Structure formats: C-alpha cells, structure tokens
C-alpha cells in the first residue's frame, strides 16, 4: 500500500514537473520566427515581397524579421542576428550569388533553415547550389515575352527594323539577368530584328541610375538609329534606358521600352498623364515570391516539410492600356 502510494506520488510529481518543463518548450516551438533578407530594400519589387511576406506572417501567426542586406558583410551579420533572436529559418535574395557557399555554411552553423528567392546561389564554379530550395522567375521565357512584346509593337508602328537600335541593359554576373536578356534577344532576332543593331549596355548595379549611365554610353556611341527599343533584367533597368533616350529626344513615339516586374516603378510610369518610352512590363508575382516562400519556410519549420527545390514562376505582359486587367488576372489587384 505504502509502495503504491509512493509510486502514485512519484507519477504525479513527474507529470507535474513534466508539464512545468514542457509548457515553455511547447510555447517556444509555436513561436516561429522567420527572417526575410533582400539585397535592395529600396527597390519596389522587394518592398512588395516584404509586404506579401507580412501577409503570410499575419495569416499563419509567425514573426517576420525584415532585413536589408546589400552586402556580404550585412548578410553574415544578419544571420548571426537571426540566430541570436532564436529565429528558425530565413528566406534570402542575396546581394551576390557567388556568396553561395559562405551563406550555406553560415546558415548551417547557425542551425537556420534557408530558402532563396529571385537570385539563385552558385558554387565556386558558378553552378547553382541545387540543395537549397529556390523560387525564381522562369527567366529565359519571361525575357522572350519581353522580346515578343517589343517586336509586335515595332511591327504595329510600321518601323523599318534596319533603322531601330536596341539597348540591351545587361548584368551578366547574375544568371537570372543573363537569361532574361538572352531570352529577349532570341525573340527579337527570331522576329527578324537585326542582331547587329543590338547594343550591349552593361550596368554596374541593378538600379535605374546605373542603367541610365550604361544606356547613355550606348546612345552616344550609336547615333545612326532613327528609333530605339530597350530591355533589361527589370523595370529599373529599362527605366534608366528610357530616361537616357528621352534626354536625347527619343520620347514615347520613338522608343519602346519593356521591363520586367510590374511594381511601383512601372505602375507610376503608366500613371503619368502622357505615355513615355516605357511601353510595357512583364508583370511577375511578388505575391508568390514573398507570401509563398514565407509560407513554405513556415511549413518547413513547423512540420519538417522541406520546400520544393526549384519553383519557377511566370509573368504576363502589360501595357498602360491593360495593366489593371493583368494585375487582376495575376491576383495582385487588391494588393495596393
Ligand atoms: C532580381 C532582380 C529584381 C527582380 C527579381 C525578380 O532579383 O534584381 O529586380 O526582378 O529578380 O525575381
């Protein structure tokens, strides 16, 4: 009898202490914290990604830590910071894809799960690091949509292709940028555009100012064209080219710029009372890249289900005439 009572007491005490002990742990497991690091926090695309990631955080009940990480140093200290805050994982658009092995090692050492978005990490030989889940745009195809859109508009305007120059704003060190402009070139050439009229304009950084400078050099060196078209990796690149062309008198009537993105940089351009040389943009989805990546990370942390290793998203060409409709179709209309 005594023994039975003793055992009961022990069992009760164990249960009590187990409850006491497990309660805070259970709470901590519920307390999911996810970092979202972006290379250019000032760019509207990344602002949109963050906005959609916040929506996922609200809906699922996790904490989102938004961090601007424009350099390798910032990425490394952000990972330390996240680990110190007891985050369990992060989504990142890296400032430099070549930082790949270093970021992977750092995340591993910090015990953080990692998924990449937009720009895919590469290893020492430039090959994608396939073990890290990635969501990016289907770059080459979207580039082709840009080229097709430009070619169709050249034809609609009845321009003689021999008299048209194309500013190809390039950023070759970033594979997704290379694929996007390569796709545009392929579509243009397939539509009969003379390859020799395509002028490479390498930009030093992927923003409007650097694209403007690159396009200015291309325009200065090529004074023989009557009309211009422009493409690049994103809206900012094309806006730079459009502004440079305007400076030389090539306005909406003589310039067809088609970007990639569809965030505020493009939307603001379409809202101007008069059309500019920024003719269109292939709208891609910050909703999928922000909300879906965060949700995938959340599920990975909560349920141990790893995200798919590669997800490629699509886009739709929009001009100032149908931008509202296209945004609607892409599920972005109510987002602003
Ligand atoms: C890259 C570009 C961004 C945006 C994303 C979309 O990161 O720098 O402007 O186009 O890709 O995936």
């Amino acid at each position: 009898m005594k023994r039975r009572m003793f055992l009961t007491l022990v069992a009760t005490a164990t249960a009590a202490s187990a409850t006491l002990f497990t309660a805070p742990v259970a709470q901590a497991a519920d307390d999911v914290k996810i970092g979202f690091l972006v290379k250019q926090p000032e760019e509207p695309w990344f602002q949109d990604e963050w906005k959609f990631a916040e929506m996922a955080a609200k809906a699922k009940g996790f904490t989102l830590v938004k961090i601007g990480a424009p350099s390798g140093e910032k990425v490394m200290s952000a990972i330390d910071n996240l680990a110190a805050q007891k985050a369990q994982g992060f989504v990142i658009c890296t400032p430099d894809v070549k930082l790949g092995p270093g970021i992977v090692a750092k995340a591993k050492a910090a015990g953080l799960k990692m998924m990449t978005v937009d720009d895919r990490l590469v290893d020492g030989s430039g090959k994608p690091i396939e073990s890290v889940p990635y969501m990016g745009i289907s770059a080459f195809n979207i580039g082709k949509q840009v080229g097709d859109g430009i070619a169709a508009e050249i034809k609609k305007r009845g321009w003689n292709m021999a008299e048209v120059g194309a500013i190809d704003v390039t950023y070759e060190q970033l594979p997704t940028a290379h694929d996007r402009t390569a796709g545009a070139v392929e579509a243009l050439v397939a539509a009969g555009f003379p390859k020799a009229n395509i002028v490479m304009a390498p930009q030093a950084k992927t923003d409007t100012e650097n694209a403007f400078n690159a396009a200015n050099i291309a325009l200065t060196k090529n004074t023989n064209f009557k009309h211009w078209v422009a493409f690049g990796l994103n809206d900012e690149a094309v806006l730079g080219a459009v502004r440079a062309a305007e400076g030389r008198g090539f306005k909406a009537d003589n310039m067809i710029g088609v970007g990639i993105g569809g965030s505020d940089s493009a939307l603001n351009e379409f809202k101007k009372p008069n059309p500019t040389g920024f003719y269109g943009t292939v709208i891609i989805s910050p909703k999928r890249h922000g909300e879906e990546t965060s949700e995938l990370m959340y599920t990975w942390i909560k349920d141990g289900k790893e995200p798919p290793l590669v997800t490629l998203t699509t886009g739709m060409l929009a001009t100032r005439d149908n931008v509202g409709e296209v945004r609607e179709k892409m599920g972005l209309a109510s987002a602003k």
Side-chain angles (χ1 to χ4, degrees):
M1 181 65 187
K2 256 193 182 161
R3 193 176 136 77
R4 196 179 302 153
M5 233 173 80
F6 172 74
L7 280 178
T8 316
L9 273 173
V10 168
T12 316
T14 312
S17 65
T19 317
L20 276 177
F21 179 71
T22 53
V25 170
Q27 209 176 2
D30 280 334
D31 197 4
V32 172
K33 197 178 261 188
I34 298 174
F36 204 116
L37 284 63
V38 302
K39 63 176 180 179
Q40 272 165 300
E42 73 289 351
E43 190 183 304
W45 167 260
F46 295 108
Q47 299 274 338
D48 283 353
E49 268 184 356
W50 271 349
K51 190 181 67 193
F52 284 109
E54 286 280 15
M55 286 185 188
K58 246 194 213 137
K60 301 278 181 197
F62 62 84
T63 306
L64 184 79
V65 186
K66 297 182 285 187
I67 305 173
S71 66
E73 253 180 1
K74 287 262 163 63
V75 172
M76 295 306 164
S77 63
I79 297 174
D80 280 336
N81 196 291
L82 286 168
Q85 300 187 43
K86 307 248 175 324
Q88 300 92 336
F90 64 94
V91 179
I92 179 171
C93 175
T94 177
D96 179 354
V97 291
K98 292 200 196 75
L99 293 170
I103 298 177
V104 171
K106 183 86 182 173
K108 200 169 178 191
L112 294 172
K113 295 183 166 43
M114 162 171 66
M115 161 156 202
T116 53
V117 68
D118 301 316
D119 300 353
R120 196 173 189 192
L121 302 177
V122 299
D123 64 18
S125 58
K127 292 213 185 68
I129 301 183
E130 285 171 358
S131 56
V132 178
Y134 166 67
M135 182 185 287
I137 67 168
S138 39
F140 191 79
N141 278 335
I142 285 175
K144 272 171 90 175
Q145 283 171 264
V146 169
D148 285 338
I150 293 174
E153 187 60 15
I154 291 176
K155 287 181 183 162
K156 198 168 145 207
R157 296 185 186 192
W159 292 354
N160 172 2
M161 287 203 191
E163 298 172 343
V164 186
I167 305 174
D168 175 1
V169 182
T170 59
Y171 191 70
E172 290 299 283
Q173 56 267 59
L174 179 60
T176 184
H178 167 85
D179 294 349
R180 295 174 198 189
T181 49
V185 167
E186 189 177 285
L188 277 172
V189 171
F193 194 87
K195 205 168 184 176
N197 293 9
I198 300 175
V199 185
M200 294 261 270
Q203 57 179 167
K205 267 187 68 189
T206 59
D207 58 17
T208 301
E209 190 186 336
N210 281 278
F212 176 86
N213 295 337
N216 248 328
I217 297 170
L219 289 160
T220 311
K221 285 194 183 155
N222 297 275
T223 49
N224 47 327
F225 295 115
K226 223 168 132 181
H227 320 280
W228 281 97
V229 301
F231 52 92
L233 96 151
N234 58 15
D235 288 332
E236 285 69 21
V238 173
L239 274 176
V242 166
R243 292 288 100 88
E246 275 167 4
R248 285 161 195 267
F250 294 93
K251 307 251 164 84
D253 286 350
N254 284 307
M255 167 56 128
I256 304 166
V258 175
I260 295 172
S263 297
D264 272 346
S265 313
L267 297 181
N268 291 340
E269 201 64 17
F270 293 150
K271 280 183 201 144
K272 290 182 176 170
N274 295 314
T276 69
F278 191 88
Y279 169 75
T281 181
V282 175
I283 300 187
I284 52 179
S285 180
K287 183 170 161 64
R288 294 200 62 191
H289 288 225
E291 189 174 60
E292 205 175 306
T293 51
S294 313
E295 281 170 4
L296 286 168
M297 178 53 72
Y298 176 76
T299 309
W300 193 5
I301 293 166
K302 275 286 271 183
D303 309 331
K305 184 171 173 269
E306 197 180 341
L309 289 179
V310 181
T311 308
L312 297 179
T313 59
T314 56
M316 287 176 79
L317 178 66
T319 63
R320 64 161 51 214
D321 295 336
N322 68 355
V323 62
E325 223 173 280
V326 175
R327 281 173 55 79
E328 184 108 27
K329 278 191 192 141
M330 293 193 64
L332 300 169
S334 55
K336 280 217 192 291

